[in-house]
Amino acid sequence: LRIDGKGDLWGNFYSPSAIGWLNEGETREDTYSNTYIDSKNIKKVVVGRQIGRIGGSMFSNCVNLKQIRFLCKAPKLSASPAEEPQFKTVRDLYKGYPPFPYGKSITIQYPKDDTSWTAAMRSFLQSVDAGTIKWVPVDQNGKHTHSWNAWKTTKAATVKAVGTKARTCATCGDKQTAEIPRLKSIAKAAVSGVKAKVWTGKAQTQDITVKLGNKMLKKGTDYTVSYTANKNVGKATLAVTGKGSYQGTVKKNFAINPKVTDLTTINAGSRQFTVNWKKQTSQTTGYQIQYSTSSTFKTDNKTETISDKSTVSKTVAGLTKGKTYYVRIRTYKTVGNSRYYSAWSSALSKKITK
């Protein structure tokens, strides 16, 4: 049903029904006047652009009415200008006798760019006895453009089951649901780039890559990385935990080794040498001295262990006169049943001449 004309529209849709416009006290009835319009058959109504007022009980008996589309500015609401003073408050769209049937819901479309359709105006129209009004701003073609809020997860997906998410339109309240695909397990992902670290007194991290099948995963999007025991010398652990479309965890261990120290001097004696080094006490249990007649330490090498970390020199005897010995040092720390070593220092050499 389309209602058109100019001015104040009054009356209501009973059966029979009359519609008219008030003009200086005279009633001009339209073509529907005094005809048998069965209000139960009215499902949609379009109110024309020049309508300025609608009677309070206008649609009170339209029990199957689903939608009203207003092309006009927000109308005044009462039976007629003459009757308006008798009301303490202006009647809303469905107020009247008989009232709009209880439990009914209706959609009202209004021009989205018309400033007369304020939130306060819509709130006023909302105060009805009957049902729920769904407000939908539309363009001149009757099209509504949704303004969707962010998706919210209503059921989390797992590696075994799909999930669901929902969002609502901020202007009309429409809801949209969608399926969240099953998550992929990250437990069998290949983690590369894990290397041993040197103790610095600060937490140690890794620059890793994570690949699942043929896909390279993205940190922050597909997974997060966390660490445990990654500050002191010993065994540290990193955990790659799935995020977004991935679930599960894969862990990798890496060593944090003590700092290297340096040899300072080496002095030769009778078939012996004495070597000195810088003391390294932080995260250190002791030292190892390695000496060899090979500059590459691949053959003929021997090792001496110094278990006191405060010691800074060592004399090695029983050497062969005339040979040159190469010497290097490293630190170590014992953690539980494991021993962690630093890198070897640069070597010093000395020829045994006595």
Side-chain angles (χ1 to χ4, degrees):
L1 174 66
R2 184 182 181 96
I3 302 172
D4 231 324
K6 183 177 181 180
D8 299 318
L9 179 63
W10 62 275
N12 45 50
F13 291 108
Y14 291 97
S15 186
S17 176
I19 309 172
W21 285 264
L22 302 180
N23 184 11
E24 297 179 356
E26 297 181 1
T27 300
R28 177 172 61 83
E29 296 179 347
D30 74 340
T31 55
Y32 294 110
S33 178
N34 295 325
T35 62
Y36 287 87
I37 301 174
D38 190 347
S39 58
K40 294 180 181 179
N41 291 328
I42 299 176
K43 295 182 179 180
K44 293 184 179 180
V45 173
V46 178
V47 180
R49 286 182 172 81
Q50 299 188 71
I51 300 299
R53 182 189 303 272
I54 293 182
S57 58
M58 189 77 204
F59 305 108
S60 59
N61 205 41
C62 300
V63 295
N64 292 312
L65 183 60
K66 301 297 183 183
Q67 176 184 297
I68 301 176
R69 180 183 173 193
F70 285 98
L71 304 179
C72 59
K73 294 182 178 296
K76 295 181 179 180
L77 303 170
S78 66
S80 70
E83 292 179 323
E84 191 168 294
Q86 70 181 285
F87 300 117
K88 299 290 184 182
T89 59
V90 180
R91 291 185 176 187
D92 55 54
L93 192 59
Y94 300 119
K95 201 72 173 178
Y97 184 84
F100 192 77
Y102 288 96
K104 296 292 183 179
S105 298
I106 191 170
T107 297
I108 297 182
Q109 297 180 344
Y110 63 95
K112 69 174 184 177
D113 297 324
D114 193 318
T115 57
S116 67
W117 287 94
T118 63
M121 181 63 180
R122 299 196 303 273
S123 177
F124 174 73
L125 291 174
Q126 188 77 40
S127 59
V128 299
D129 297 337
T132 302
I133 297 178
K134 176 182 175 181
W135 296 98
V136 180
V138 297
D139 61 20
Q140 61 183 359
N141 297 316
K143 182 180 179 181
H144 171 63
T145 301
H146 290 295
S147 179
W148 295 110
N149 292 319
W151 286 104
K152 291 185 178 180
T153 299
T154 53
K155 179 184 177 184
T158 67
V159 294
K160 295 183 178 180
V162 298
T164 56
K165 60 183 179 179
R167 62 180 180 177
T168 58
C169 176
T171 52
C172 75
D174 269 4
K175 293 183 178 180
Q176 187 179 56
T177 60
E179 185 179 273
I180 302 173
R182 285 195 312 170
L183 303 183
K184 300 174 183 178
S185 176
I186 207 172
K188 295 184 178 180
V191 179
S192 58
V194 180
K195 301 177 181 179
K197 296 289 184 175
V198 175
W199 176 83
T200 62
K202 298 180 180 180
Q204 300 292 322
T205 59
Q206 298 282 347
D207 184 14
I208 62 171
T209 57
V210 180
K211 191 174 183 180
L212 185 61
N214 294 322
K215 183 178 181 181
M216 195 70 70
L217 303 188
K218 185 177 181 181
K219 183 179 179 180
T221 301
D222 301 322
Y223 67 90
T224 60
V225 182
S226 59
Y227 295 87
T228 55
N230 64 326
K231 184 176 181 180
N232 293 327
V233 172
K235 183 177 73 174
T237 302
L238 70 84
V240 177
T241 302
K243 181 182 178 182
S245 299
Y246 299 87
Q247 192 177 60
T249 300
V250 57
K251 295 182 178 181
K252 293 291 181 179
N253 298 323
F254 62 95
I256 300 177
N257 296 317
K259 288 173 61 177
V260 68
T261 191
D262 293 315
L263 297 174
T264 56
T265 60
I266 182 170
N267 299 303
S270 178
R271 297 181 181 274
Q272 67 181 29
F273 64 74
T274 299
V275 67
N276 298 280
W277 60 85
K278 294 178 181 179
K279 183 166 60 175
Q280 171 64 38
T281 57
S282 298
Q283 294 290 300
T284 301
T285 300
Y287 310 91
Q288 278 191 341
I289 298 292
Q290 190 175 68
Y291 59 98
S292 174
T293 56
S294 168
S295 62
T296 61
F297 294 88
K298 292 183 178 180
T299 60
D300 192 29
N301 59 67
K302 295 181 180 179
T303 302
E304 298 282 346
T305 299
I306 299 94
S307 59
D308 183 359
K309 64 183 179 182
S310 63
T311 300
V312 292
S313 67
K314 174 69 175 178
T315 298
V316 178
L319 305 178
T320 303
K321 180 181 176 181
K323 287 192 175 183
T324 298
Y325 287 87
Y326 299 86
V327 185
R328 61 185 182 179
I329 189 172
R330 65 180 179 180
T331 61
Y332 74 88
K333 182 181 180 182
T334 302
V335 181
N337 295 322
S338 299
R339 183 177 285 186
Y340 294 85
Y341 294 94
S342 74
W344 288 106
S345 70
S346 297
L348 294 180
S349 64
K350 183 63 69 172
K351 187 174 181 178
I352 306 302
T353 59
K354 296 181 182 180

